[in-house]
Amino acid sequence: MTPKELKSTYKSVFESDDGKQVLEDMELRFGLWRTSYVPDSNETAFREGQRDVILFIHSILKEK
């Protein structure tokens, strides 16, 4: 699959009604709208990694 085809697939999945619901759940579950910081630096890094996946999906969806 080419990068262009993969982006199209992401959009097809996450712009569907079901995909929007899943993405909303992931945003809440993985802390898109809250800080990743906690006193334990390993836990902060883990949380930021989860959040980064959601940011990646959003970046794909914004591309034309």
Side-chain angles (χ1 to χ4, degrees):
M1 181 175 283
T2 68
K4 186 176 180 177
E5 291 170 328
L6 186 57
K7 286 178 187 180
S8 178
T9 301
Y10 266 88
K11 287 182 178 192
S12 176
V13 169
F14 286 105
E15 289 178 349
S16 71
D17 289 339
D18 288 342
K20 288 176 184 177
Q21 288 179 337
V22 168
L23 185 56
E24 184 178 317
D25 176 65
M26 292 171 71
E27 291 169 358
L28 295 171
R29 187 177 306 272
F30 301 124
L32 181 61
W33 309 114
R34 66 177 186 265
T35 183
S36 300
Y37 176 78
V38 292
D40 179 343
S41 62
N42 290 327
E43 181 66 19
T44 297
F46 179 77
R47 290 179 180 195
E48 191 58 26
Q50 290 179 316
R51 187 174 173 274
D52 191 54
V53 171
I54 308 307
L55 291 171
F56 171 78
I57 293 169
H58 276 278
S59 73
I60 295 294
L61 296 178
K62 287 182 182 179
E63 291 181 10
K64 299 210 179 207

